[in-house]
Amino acid sequence: MKRASFWSWLWIALGVLYFLLPLIATLNFSLRARRGVLSFDAYRSVFSDSQFYQSFGFSTEMAVLTIIFSVLLLLPTAYWIHLRMRWLRPVVELVTLLPFVIPGIVLVFGLIKTYSGAPFALTGSRFGTNLLLVGGYIVLSFPYMYRSIDTGLRAVDVQTLTEAAQSLGAGWTTILFRVIFPNVRVALLSGAFLTFAIVIGELTLAQYLLGGTQAFGPYLALVGRNKAYEPSALAIISFALIWAAIGIIQLVGRGSPEQRQLGGMR
Amino acid sequence: MAFLELRDIRKSFGAATAVDTFNLQVERGEFISFLGPSGCGKTTTLRMIAGFEQPTAGQILVNEQDITRRPPNQRNVGMVFQSYALFPNMNVAQNIAFGMTLKRAPKATITQRVSELLALIGLPGLERRYPYQLSGGQQQRVALARALAIEPQVLLLDEPLSALDAKIRVSLRNEIRSIQRKLGITTIYVTHDQEEALSLSDRIVVMNHGRIEQIGTPFQIYNFPQTAFVASFVGTLNVLQARVRNPASGELEIDGQPLTLARPLTDQRTGDTVAIALRPEVIALDGAAGTANRLRGVVEDVTFLGAIVRVRVQVGTEIVNFDMFNNPSLRVPERGQPVTLAFPVESSLLLDDTAEHAKQAVAAAAEAT
Amino acid sequence: MAENVTIKEQASPTSAQAARRGISWGWIGVVPFFVFAVAFMIVPAASLLVGSVQNAQGQFTLDNIAAIVQQPDIVAAYRLSIGISLVTAVGGALFGFLLAYAAILGGLPRFVRTGLVTFSGVAANFAGVPLAFAFVATLGRTGLVTAVLNSIGVNPYRHGFSLYTFAGLSLTYMYFQFPLMVLVIAPALDGLKREWREAAQILGASSWHYWRYVALPILLPSLLGATILLFGNAFGAYATAYALTGGSLNLVTIVIGAQMRGDVLNNPNLGYALALGMIVIMAFSILMYSWLQRRTERWLK
């Protein structure tokens, strides 16, 4: 390895400066709720706001539902692709990349246009909008969930495991849930945590499908409009949450540490 | 005066010494091989000649100029890498011309030299191909042409054939040698394959654990190995423990049977144990008595390998392997059959190391190959 | 004995019976995925497409698409979106590349690379409302950096800068563009074999020669692809812009959002056309990125 040059340190230093400054500024701002002193007042205000817990709880619920149904949809699909229908693989991969082509605002636009009128009328009811929301989130999670499941399946010899299980008399559901799934659990986790990070902070779909501040994203936006110091505290809390999620992915995911961990609403 | 000289070269990485007390003088136009197992320091030494590693101590001289501190791009040394390292964004002609392009040689000169070199390596007309369109053997030949294009003083090859198929390896190594002879370039060739080293080199430097074990011609290295390591790394070897009977007359015994060496023993006394090395090809099944050494034993195993039949014989507590040419009319010994092994007095080698060391060295060398 | 034979027969997947059963089971496993994709992705996108080529009466027309390049406020929105996307793509690619290069090939200790990659994973997801808040606290009127600059006598706001404009938004976007570039270009930098550099050196090349003739040409497709990816990424961004400017900055995404709330364009089909335009641009950017990726892979076999 070459000796480290001045320029290398310079770029890194500039990068650190650019990335750290906003965090420091936000932290600083969040501690100045009380005049003249550093205090945690802003945080206290946030944590005593029932809306905070309600919206966060709601978004967490949505995230969990998204993860569960995403896995239910993608795991059998990926499994069959690996096992029998390899020719379908490019098609499926293309489909899981489509969410990049359809940004959130366009997706929600399309969802509303399609499902608000007859015969669905989903946008009228609570259940309907939640359904659309979870559906939209599942779409958004496709690239990351599919990739992590695919990675997990590649690390395991799917063909042999299946044949071994079959020869011992297992049926398909048993194979899927008691043989395949436990072996890809770890890989799944990285996709799951990424999905969680995306759903928690998501604004676009939540705003247009639900309105109000039911979800965490719109709640953040509302606080941003009305309060002065709480937004900074919330930003710090969000950042800490994402650090935790990504940190767990790094810890647990033994795959390439640079699996593209992009996501989120921009 | 030697053309390429390495004086007291030592390379340490922290506490670990990769190369130590390396002294070598190479004449102009010589083909030298560095031979040894993985981790013996041969590649590190080569890279020091190229300039990619700095020696911790010692000097490197080319044509009497000290190049030890010169950066690699100023040494006028050519190098061929194990992984070919052709630039993927350039076609064959551009790859070969790269050194000349940097020196801003006129276009006509470049074009001519490229076609000359392509003819030399046997790939005329492939100027426009890209590396990914070539086979491994073709890529390595282009890499050779690229290294030769700058008319280097010394040519370095780092295990150039390891990544290729066995058949291509044999034909390509002969091509490399004939090109080297034609151009008369001083060449250092690193390999762990003793067959390559033996068939190609003017001289071989056998290395182990960062040190030179022996320098000599292939004939010398094979027939007169100076240490147990060299004896067992190059070719196959039988190492037997023998007890000294009479040091003055060079008499030993194995399993109670007498054995004579070609010279008297100077360092040993009666009753000491020594290590004797025997190449399998010097041993024959003999009927009549003669002046040769003879050992009686029992056949333990016979392996048919096609042109060769390998026979394993138990002599007391020792095992002796020897080879016979396959001959349909000859009767091959059978398991359990008592046989007499005969070999000339001159062909048993007394190894420098003690018996135990010798055995360990053989075992280690066997593991390395 | 007999049981062994039966078990073997059951396990053989090559028997025709099992194959038939297998295929039908397989389709059951895969169909839900496709049904879902169609229902929640294809149909919504298609309905936008259909809506964009219709007029208020439902007849086929290309007027909406024409309006995109004719109506001044629409053109302005596209100009703004493309402008920000271009600036943050090129700027993000440049500095992101320098960061990745420094961490991976710059001879720095290993923890720098791991730290940069991990942080990039976090920063790429920090986008949206929290990011907007963070930059308000930094460069807003009462932000920390603004205050510091004030104290040394330079007031950016007096000189026309505002966080809530093109420049401010671009600066904010960089917070997820830089990390995205790092994550995307890292594998390409890893793919630069050490032997190429050594081969170039031994043939007489200086560092500059190496970059000019070998490394940059090899990296160019990846760099281009990544830049295009960054462009698409910025173009489709909504939440950050909305949270920062409250919808006052007329990006294409913001206009689409406004159209969803109420008929601001006086023509709902125009909104669909805008959405269609977005899809086209995003599709183009993803396709170019994949194509350039594949070209690199072919070279670097």
Side-chain angles (χ1 to χ4, degrees):
Chain A
M1 201 75 262
K2 331 172 0 232
R3 19 76 241 154
S5 72
F6 158 77
W7 288 105
S8 301
W9 281 116
L10 180 70
W11 301 128
I12 295 292
L14 284 177
V16 168
L17 196 71
Y18 173 81
F19 284 122
L20 240 44
L21 262 183
L23 293 174
I24 296 176
T26 313
L27 185 65
N28 169 64
F29 207 80
S30 71
L31 295 173
R32 292 200 177 281
R34 206 185 305 174
R35 247 216 153 83
V37 264
L38 289 176
S39 73
F40 285 104
D41 282 0
Y43 292 91
R44 243 169 268 154
S45 165
V46 166
F47 286 124
S48 60
D49 184 2
S50 62
Q51 268 287 75
F52 171 77
Y53 296 103
Q54 268 171 12
S55 58
F56 189 78
F58 177 81
S59 285
T60 309
E61 245 186 85
M62 294 295 112
V64 170
L65 284 171
T66 306
I67 294 171
I68 293 176
F69 284 106
S70 194
V71 172
L72 279 176
L73 273 176
L74 287 172
L75 187 61
T77 310
Y79 173 67
W80 280 109
I81 300 291
H82 269 258
L83 195 65
R84 295 284 172 79
M85 296 189 272
R86 296 205 170 224
W87 54 272
L88 260 186
R89 181 192 232 119
V91 180
V92 172
E93 278 184 352
L94 182 68
V95 171
T96 56
L97 283 180
L98 280 182
F100 286 140
V101 174
I102 309 177
I105 192 80
V106 172
L107 180 65
V108 74
F109 203 10
L111 284 174
I112 292 180
K113 179 177 193 290
T114 312
Y115 295 107
S116 58
F120 300 106
L122 284 176
T123 47
S125 68
R126 187 68 168 281
F127 174 77
T129 49
N130 287 357
L131 180 73
L132 285 176
L133 192 67
V134 173
Y137 285 160
I138 295 175
V139 168
L140 292 179
S141 78
F142 268 170
Y144 318 101
M145 290 299 289
Y146 179 74
R147 182 175 271 193
S148 64
I149 293 179
D150 192 50
T151 311
L153 284 176
R154 269 191 232 231
V156 174
D157 188 350
V158 176
Q159 182 89 27
T160 314
L161 270 185
T162 308
E163 290 178 358
Q166 279 178 312
S167 74
L168 292 165
W172 290 115
T173 28
T174 315
I175 295 180
L176 256 184
F177 290 109
R178 295 179 59 181
V179 177
I180 303 293
F181 176 70
N183 279 296
V184 299
R185 230 183 350 212
V186 171
L188 259 181
L189 272 177
S190 90
F193 274 103
L194 206 52
T195 307
F196 180 83
I198 294 173
V199 171
I200 282 294
E202 207 279 330
L203 175 70
T204 320
L205 266 71
Q207 191 176 48
Y208 287 101
L209 281 174
L210 301 174
T213 57
Q214 259 189 289
F216 195 59
Y219 167 75
L220 288 178
L222 183 71
V223 170
R225 276 197 292 274
N226 298 341
K227 303 275 185 75
Y229 297 97
E230 282 78 349
S232 302
L234 281 167
I236 295 294
I237 295 171
S238 294
F239 191 77
L241 271 172
I242 300 178
W243 253 121
I246 302 286
I248 296 182
I249 294 178
Q250 296 280 55
L251 229 66
V252 174
R254 238 144 305 190
S256 113
E258 278 139 36
Q259 265 166 353
R260 272 181 266 121
Q261 290 143 1
L262 3 136
M265 291 287 94
R266 313 214 185 295
Chain B
M1 192 66 250
F3 187 70
L4 166 66
E5 190 173 344
L6 280 82
R7 275 189 207 156
D8 276 326
I9 292 288
R10 179 163 60 90
K11 178 67 181 172
S12 310
F13 293 104
T17 309
V19 180
D20 203 358
T21 351
F22 194 99
N23 281 288
L24 178 68
Q25 289 170 324
V26 183
E27 298 303 319
R28 191 191 283 269
E30 254 196 303
F31 191 115
I32 302 275
S33 288
F34 290 175
L35 175 67
S38 308
C40 71
K42 55 192 193 297
T43 302
T44 311
T45 313
L46 191 81
R47 287 170 64 82
M48 285 195 275
I49 303 176
F52 298 131
E53 307 278 357
Q54 275 293 306
T56 318
Q59 294 167 291
I60 303 174
L61 296 103
V62 173
N63 210 6
E64 296 178 31
Q65 288 181 320
D66 188 339
I67 63 165
T68 321
R69 301 277 160 233
R70 264 199 229 168
N73 50 8
Q74 288 173 22
R75 293 195 180 198
N76 199 19
V77 161
M79 182 144 172
V80 177
F81 296 82
Q82 183 175 355
S83 62
Y84 329 134
L86 291 180
F87 305 129
N89 56 313
M90 299 185 204
N91 62 25
V92 165
Q94 290 164 331
N95 262 287
I96 297 178
F98 187 68
M100 292 186 276
T101 315
L102 290 176
K103 288 191 204 147
R104 300 187 177 284
K107 214 167 192 184
T109 319
I110 294 185
T111 325
Q112 185 181 4
R113 184 129 175 86
V114 168
S115 19
E116 272 170 18
L117 284 164
L118 280 174
L120 183 67
I121 60 172
L123 293 175
L126 286 191
E127 282 91 343
R128 292 202 201 272
R129 292 271 183 92
Y130 278 84
Y132 75 91
Q133 294 170 306
L134 302 174
S135 72
Q138 289 173 323
Q139 287 188 53
Q140 197 59 298
R141 281 193 255 172
V142 173
L144 179 63
R146 181 178 67 175
L148 293 171
I150 58 171
E151 293 178 17
Q153 305 183 76
V154 177
L155 180 64
L156 306 173
L157 301 114
D158 187 2
E159 305 209 43
L161 307 178
S162 302
L164 299 169
D165 292 335
K167 250 202 217 141
I168 305 185
R169 247 184 262 168
V170 178
S171 68
L172 194 48
R173 80 179 183 220
N174 293 330
E175 267 188 64
I176 292 177
R177 180 54 155 148
S178 80
I179 293 176
Q180 185 265 346
R181 276 216 180 94
K182 205 183 286 183
L183 297 174
I185 289 196
T186 314
T187 305
I188 309 277
Y189 187 102
V190 164
T191 180
H192 62 268
D193 183 336
Q194 40 130 335
E195 203 186 287
E196 266 174 33
L198 288 172
S199 63
L200 294 176
S201 331
D202 292 322
R203 278 191 296 158
I204 303 180
V205 177
V206 183
M207 292 178 71
N208 189 27
H209 291 317
R211 286 173 182 269
I212 298 181
E213 293 263 336
Q214 187 174 352
I215 304 180
T217 65
F219 187 85
Q220 290 167 339
I221 296 279
Y222 188 84
N223 289 314
F224 307 115
Q226 285 165 2
T227 68
F229 177 81
V230 177
S232 49
F233 191 80
V234 185
T236 46
L237 196 68
N238 293 299
V239 175
L240 309 169
Q241 293 200 35
R243 265 190 49 214
V244 180
R245 253 195 204 169
N246 185 348
S249 59
E251 267 179 51
L252 308 167
E253 68 172 14
I254 295 181
D255 184 42
Q257 306 180 49
L259 205 61
T260 317
L261 288 181
R263 59 178 178 86
L265 295 156
T266 44
D267 301 318
Q268 286 81 11
R269 293 171 312 202
T270 311
D272 282 349
T273 319
V274 293
I276 300 293
L278 284 173
R279 293 269 183 219
E281 61 266 16
V282 307
I283 302 173
L285 285 178
D286 198 11
T291 51
N293 279 318
R294 308 164 70 73
L295 286 174
R296 287 187 310 277
V298 176
V299 173
E300 202 187 72
D301 200 3
V302 178
T303 314
F304 181 71
L305 296 172
I308 299 277
V309 178
R310 189 156 287 165
V311 186
R312 214 159 77 201
V313 176
Q314 184 136 19
V315 176
T317 49
E318 303 291 321
I319 300 280
V320 179
N321 287 301
F322 77 96
D323 295 340
M324 299 170 56
F325 279 118
N326 177 38
N327 186 339
S329 58
L330 224 60
R331 234 181 352 149
V332 171
E334 289 167 356
R335 252 189 240 153
Q337 181 182 332
V339 289
T340 305
L341 304 173
F343 50 92
V345 165
E346 304 77 38
S347 43
S348 41
L349 314 159
L350 181 68
L351 296 178
D352 278 347
D353 318 82
T354 65
E356 261 325 294
H357 270 179
K359 275 245 149 78
Q360 282 169 8
V362 172
E367 228 169 284
T369 44
Chain C
M1 276 300 117
E3 294 105 66
N4 291 353
V5 174
T6 355
I7 290 174
K8 261 206 200 107
E9 278 178 359
Q10 273 179 355
S12 155
T14 54
S15 69
Q17 203 181 23
R20 242 188 296 124
R21 230 187 299 128
I23 289 187
S24 63
W25 269 110
W27 284 114
I28 292 187
V30 169
V31 155
F33 168 78
F34 282 110
V35 166
F36 181 87
V38 166
F40 282 88
M41 258 202 294
I42 314 280
V43 167
S47 79
L48 291 174
L49 187 113
V50 166
S52 67
V53 291
Q54 285 178 334
N55 62 16
Q57 285 78 39
Q59 298 159 325
F60 177 84
T61 170
L62 288 173
D63 287 351
N64 299 314
I65 301 187
I68 291 182
V69 290
Q70 288 166 358
Q71 240 177 282
D73 41 344
I74 308 272
V75 174
Y78 267 96
R79 197 172 282 154
L80 193 60
S81 280
I82 291 179
I84 286 197
S85 306
L86 216 57
V87 164
T88 58
V90 173
L94 222 68
F95 190 67
F97 172 72
L98 289 170
L99 276 178
Y101 174 77
I104 296 177
L105 295 175
L108 296 176
R110 179 81 191 175
F111 75 83
V112 173
R113 176 194 177 138
T114 324
L116 180 66
V117 168
T118 311
F119 186 85
S120 297
V122 178
N125 284 300
F126 189 52
V129 184
L131 181 64
F133 291 167
F135 266 81
V136 168
T138 315
L139 280 170
R141 284 184 199 279
T142 52
L144 183 68
V145 174
T146 322
V148 167
L149 288 174
N150 261 337
S151 68
I152 62 172
V154 177
N155 188 339
Y157 280 84
R158 195 106 33 97
H159 293 275
F161 169 81
S162 165
L163 182 62
Y164 315 101
T165 58
F166 185 101
L169 195 61
S170 301
L171 208 56
T172 314
Y173 272 21
M174 294 301 193
Y175 210 83
F176 54 78
Q177 295 286 64
F178 292 154
L180 180 58
M181 183 65 180
V182 168
L183 292 175
V184 169
I185 208 73
L189 286 174
D190 279 332
L192 274 181
K193 292 202 226 161
R194 181 185 76 165
E195 285 91 26
W196 286 328
R197 194 190 189 116
E198 291 182 348
Q201 276 183 303
I202 204 82
L203 289 163
S206 66
S207 232
W208 153 250
H209 286 135
Y210 165 68
W211 275 99
R212 183 201 173 315
Y213 288 105
V214 181
L216 272 179
I218 292 179
L219 286 174
L220 203 60
S222 302
L223 287 172
L224 267 175
T227 311
I228 294 176
L229 193 70
L230 258 62
F231 178 89
N233 195 36
F235 198 84
Y238 172 79
T240 315
Y242 180 80
L244 200 58
T245 66
S248 65
L249 207 59
N250 276 334
L251 298 169
V252 176
T253 47
I254 303 281
V255 173
I256 293 178
Q259 173 62 23
M260 272 198 278
R261 286 179 197 274
D263 196 5
V264 302
L265 297 170
N266 299 318
N267 176 2
N269 298 77
L270 195 50
Y272 302 140
L274 281 179
L276 175 71
M278 278 218 85
I279 294 183
V280 167
I281 290 184
M282 301 297 283
F284 174 76
S285 102
I286 299 282
L287 277 168
M288 285 260 74
Y289 169 70
S290 314
W291 181 72
L292 284 164
Q293 275 294 88
R294 228 161 304 155
R295 273 204 65 194
T296 331
E297 268 159 42
R298 184 190 60 169
W299 264 0
L300 299 180
K301 269 192 319 147

